[in-house]
Amino acid sequence: MSMRSHFCGLLNKSQADQTVTLCGWVNRRRDHGGVIFVDLRDKEGLVQVVFNPDDAAMFELASSLRNEFCVKVVGRVSLRDAGLVNPKLATGEIEIVCKELDILNASVTPPFQLDEENLSETTRLTHRVLDLRRPQMQYNMKLRYKTAMAIRKFLDANDFIDIETPMLTKSTPEGARDYLVPSRVHDGEFFALPQSPQLFKQMLMVAGFDRYYQIVKCFRDEDLRADRQPEFTQVDIETSFMSETDIRAMFEGMIRGMFKDVLNIELANPFPSMTYADAMALYGSDKPDLRVKLQFTELTDVMKTVDFKVFNSAANMEDGRVVALRVPNGAELSRSEIDAYTQFVAIYGARGLAYIKVNELEKGRDGLQSPIVKNIDDAALTQILERTGAQNGDIIFFGADKAKIVNDAIGALRIKIGHEKGHASQDWQPLWVIDFPMFERDDEAGRWTACHHPFTAPKDGHEDLLSTNPGQCIAKAYDMVLNGSEIGGGSVRIHREEVQSKVFRALNINAEEAQEKFGFLLDALQYGAPPHGGIAFGLDRIVTMMTGAESIRDVIAFPKTQRAQCLLTQAPSPVDEKQLRELHIRLRNTEAKLAEVKRDEA
């Protein structure tokens, strides 16, 4: 039986004159003219409790209350006088007149007030238990739970079953560094924590389970950013006997339903789709933010013969690109603003930011304001203005360099200017990006690498390109993008041995290496593997967007810092020599330090 009869934040005037029992924490205590007021908090919110001096013993006990004391209160629900109603509080029409007070546990002075703003992240993560008591963090965790439940309900209704896969597994190349776990029993050998359940979920399809899912922890030992953690949560899904379009239709339905259930937001139906090639051409990104209405204009062909060396050299270099970005009404930008944008694109490797202000189109060259106009011939200028659709009052920015630098720099500038200067909507913009290339060229290694993973199937009719022209081979791969963030991605998998062999040959992986790295999957695929495919969603990233949090760490109960440390538990931490010996591990740095000490002593 519960110690309480009601939750603090759910009380209202309908319970007037009832006696209630509440449990929670002291959020604030105030002494007003011989009467003590306490804001009592639980997971549902706050209610004001009044302690009158009539009961001397209870009043003295109430006088000892401090922030974050855990207490039990028995009292009568009383309507506040009209002039004392607090409209900002859900329980603002009532208060609790206390009859009994029990201090369940005292608290030391907290390192910060729960309603304190601008707390450092170090302070919050060091005292994470207290940080999680704050209303915003309580909201974030509840929304995360509701999101996961909406996903589970959808998948259950569509006959998916939750199957656990191993946390201690074989190290396989999946694009990032593995977390390794030494084996005590098998000297010198290691497990790896999974970067994803990819190979296991494919084998579950071969095993005939047809529809699998798992909300699962995955691990990658990589440099961290605001949207990355060494351990992250993935909604992992695999299906059999469904086409690429079937899979996309089903799981955009899942995301659309989730947003409706959790936030009462209606996403587009259906989601628009865009090829990878078009996304890179128009936005310089494979995850374009469609809220920003600005687009690239391709000018590489126009700039091959202009006198302006910056444009000419970029247009004629291998993998070079020249693009324009027209910003309506951008001619009003000041010189200092343009300089700031120039510094901004330098972060992405751009060596400058050329521009043309369009003041009066009807005056031709004389109506343009720019330090580069004199170096561009009339024909090229005409092409720039016509292709961009420039109007009086616009500014045209240019990117000219290797394609990757142009895409990264002008793509980031597009987002920055779009949101800063009012060229972006405030709605939710989902998108499917499809038709990714199968491979990308690693020039340093002189070989092709898989853009997704080596088990992604090529488009029908592209199988022969695996041998003749891998760079032109398109994959049955797809990413779901929301407001410029990739929230999920997947592909149809290869299920026929002869196609898998061609992919391995394209990747310069011989039969022996393939067997060593992926033999258990390759063996399973020989037993009548069905056509299958799937998708994985980043739960942390989705919830971050839904809550409007600035960092992924704000939607994870106990996250790591950007240096992959837990400030609450001080992990990672040293272990004793006995544990290391049991694992057959010797620390070279420790031995070097001991040797140095011995030398110093000698």
Side-chain angles (χ1 to χ4, degrees):
M1 186 172 178
S2 176
M3 294 175 63
R4 60 190 164 201
S5 63
H6 295 76
F7 288 103
C8 299
L10 299 183
L11 292 170
N12 57 58
K13 62 183 181 181
S14 68
Q15 284 101 15
D17 295 325
Q18 291 184 23
T19 296
V20 297
T21 303
L22 309 175
C23 295
W25 289 267
V26 174
N27 198 64
R28 290 275 186 186
R29 193 205 73 180
R30 306 179 302 280
D31 293 348
H32 286 174
V35 178
I36 295 173
F37 296 91
V38 165
D39 291 335
L40 190 63
R41 183 190 74 247
D42 63 16
K43 73 184 186 72
E44 298 295 345
L46 299 173
V47 69
Q48 179 172 278
V49 181
V50 182
F51 297 89
N52 292 309
D54 303 345
D55 186 331
M58 185 183 69
F59 192 79
E60 183 178 354
L61 189 60
S63 298
S64 70
L65 296 177
R66 297 293 182 270
N67 286 5
E68 300 312 311
F69 273 38
C70 185
V71 301
K72 176 182 175 182
V73 167
V74 178
R76 179 177 57 85
V77 179
S78 176
L79 294 176
R80 295 196 197 188
D81 293 338
L84 299 177
V85 169
N86 183 354
K88 296 180 181 178
L89 203 60
T91 58
E93 293 181 297
I94 61 162
E95 59 190 10
I96 310 301
V97 179
C98 186
K99 297 177 180 178
E100 299 176 25
L101 171 64
D102 184 7
I103 297 178
L104 301 175
N105 209 342
S107 170
V108 298
T109 302
F112 54 84
Q113 299 292 337
L114 266 61
D115 56 0
E116 192 173 332
E117 296 182 0
N118 301 319
L119 286 169
S120 75
E121 189 172 60
T122 298
T123 299
R124 291 178 56 206
L125 294 182
T126 301
H127 304 281
R128 188 61 162 184
V129 174
L130 288 178
D131 184 48
L132 286 170
R133 288 184 182 177
R134 296 190 306 120
Q136 184 61 54
M137 294 303 296
Q138 294 268 318
Y139 170 80
N140 289 356
M141 293 301 112
K142 289 176 184 177
L143 188 139
R144 182 187 178 107
Y145 165 75
K146 291 176 182 177
T147 300
M149 282 303 298
I151 290 170
R152 288 188 186 278
K153 288 176 181 176
F154 176 91
L155 293 170
D156 184 66
N158 283 277
D159 296 326
F160 286 81
I161 63 171
D162 185 348
I163 304 177
E164 295 178 355
T165 53
M167 282 294 162
L168 296 175
T169 185
K170 180 182 177 67
S171 179
T172 56
E174 293 195 39
R177 191 181 295 110
D178 283 329
Y179 275 101
L180 299 177
V181 180
S183 170
R184 179 183 60 82
V185 177
H186 301 281
D187 186 2
E189 297 184 352
F190 294 81
F191 295 105
L193 300 180
Q195 293 185 34
S196 80
Q198 178 62 47
L199 304 184
F200 286 105
K201 68 179 183 178
Q202 289 190 244
M203 289 188 289
L204 287 170
M205 294 302 101
V206 181
F209 285 100
D210 201 83
R211 294 188 175 190
Y212 140 95
Y213 87 96
Q214 193 179 182
I215 298 181
V216 61
K217 283 288 186 204
C218 301
F219 305 85
R220 292 181 183 174
D221 186 7
E222 58 187 352
D223 295 334
L224 306 182
R225 297 195 304 256
D227 60 346
R228 286 185 182 173
Q229 283 280 291
E231 51 182 323
F232 57 96
T233 304
Q234 183 168 295
V235 182
D236 198 56
I237 301 165
E238 197 79 2
T239 71
S240 293
F241 308 111
M242 290 183 71
S243 69
E244 177 184 353
T245 52
D246 292 336
I247 293 170
R248 293 207 323 258
M250 173 173 280
F251 293 107
E252 78 169 58
M254 183 184 82
I255 296 299
R256 199 163 37 242
M258 182 194 76
F259 267 81
K260 178 63 177 175
D261 290 348
V262 178
L263 294 180
N264 198 28
I265 287 173
E266 300 272 4
L267 296 181
N269 185 12
F271 290 1
S273 63
M274 179 182 300
T275 66
Y276 170 88
D278 285 346
M280 298 305 295
L282 294 173
Y283 306 106
S285 170
D286 61 1
K287 47 182 182 295
D289 185 348
L290 295 189
R291 294 174 300 174
V292 178
K293 305 310 175 187
L294 310 178
Q295 294 183 352
F296 289 7
T297 299
E298 188 63 53
L299 294 173
T300 307
D301 58 326
V302 175
M303 297 303 172
K304 289 183 179 294
T305 58
V306 297
D307 291 335
F308 190 36
K309 186 177 179 181
V310 172
F311 289 178
N312 178 299
S313 60
N316 287 288
M317 75 169 63
E318 186 178 359
D319 196 29
R321 189 178 190 194
V322 182
V323 302
L325 182 73
R326 179 178 74 89
V327 181
N329 304 314
E332 62 190 26
L333 290 174
S334 67
R335 181 67 212 188
S336 63
E337 287 180 300
I338 294 173
D339 289 343
Y341 287 137
T342 303
Q343 293 177 0
F344 174 75
V345 296
I347 297 170
Y348 300 89
R351 290 172 288 184
L353 184 60
Y355 68 91
I356 295 175
K357 286 187 175 183
V358 183
N359 295 327
E360 296 181 74
L361 272 175
E362 58 275 12
K363 290 186 177 180
R365 179 183 294 272
D366 293 336
L368 306 177
Q369 179 185 346
S370 167
I372 68 168
V373 167
K374 61 181 180 291
N375 299 312
I376 301 177
D377 58 75
D378 289 342
L381 273 179
T382 298
Q383 283 291 300
I384 291 170
L385 297 174
E386 287 183 355
R387 288 193 185 186
T388 59
Q391 302 292 320
N392 288 341
D394 294 348
I395 191 170
I396 304 170
F397 288 109
F398 297 89
D401 210 309
K402 289 185 176 179
K404 183 177 187 331
I405 291 176
V406 170
N407 292 338
D408 290 349
I410 305 303
L413 181 67
R414 170 185 169 269
I415 300 298
K416 184 175 178 65
I417 289 181
H419 286 289
E420 287 182 351
K421 299 300 180 182
H423 300 292
S425 63
Q426 299 303 310
D427 54 352
W428 295 86
Q429 289 283 348
L431 172 71
W432 283 110
V433 178
I434 61 174
D435 292 354
F436 282 80
M438 280 280 289
F439 309 102
E440 57 188 355
R441 190 74 180 173
D442 184 341
D443 292 328
E444 290 186 11
R447 58 186 292 180
W448 294 103
T449 60
C451 288
H452 192 59
H453 57 62
F455 305 103
T456 299
K459 286 282 190 185
D460 296 338
H462 284 227
E463 292 86 353
D464 290 342
L465 292 172
L466 293 168
S467 304
T468 60
N469 193 350
Q472 294 298 311
C473 192
I474 301 299
K476 291 182 179 178
Y478 34 83
D479 281 354
M480 186 185 289
V481 176
L482 184 62
N483 292 359
S485 290
E486 177 201 333
I487 62 170
S491 67
V492 172
R493 325 302 185 188
I494 298 169
H495 69 283
R496 300 202 322 268
E497 189 279 330
E498 65 272 19
V499 178
Q500 188 64 70
S501 296
K502 287 183 178 181
V503 170
F504 281 151
R505 283 195 293 272
L507 294 170
N508 201 25
I509 297 174
N510 60 38
E512 182 180 349
E513 184 182 1
Q515 191 64 34
E516 178 187 348
K517 292 178 178 178
F518 310 110
F520 54 94
L521 175 63
L522 298 177
D523 291 346
L525 291 177
Q526 296 180 76
Y527 296 102
H532 61 284
I535 192 166
F537 293 95
L539 182 65
D540 308 303
R541 185 172 299 176
I542 291 172
V543 177
T544 301
M545 297 179 71
M546 294 175 79
T547 59
E550 292 185 3
S551 165
I552 199 171
R553 293 185 287 277
D554 283 341
V555 301
I556 299 172
F558 301 105
K560 306 293 189 294
T561 67
Q562 286 189 329
R563 297 189 63 212
Q565 293 175 301
C566 175
L567 298 183
L568 177 68
T569 64
Q570 297 300 305
S573 58
V575 297
D576 62 43
E577 185 65 29
K578 179 175 180 293
Q579 288 175 285
L580 292 176
R581 284 198 303 270
E582 288 176 338
L583 294 170
H584 318 289
I585 290 176
R586 182 178 296 163
L587 300 180
R588 293 197 305 184
N589 288 347
T590 301
E591 289 186 345
K593 287 179 181 178
L594 288 173
E596 187 177 339
V597 169
K598 290 180 179 178
R599 286 196 302 271
D600 291 343
E601 290 175 348

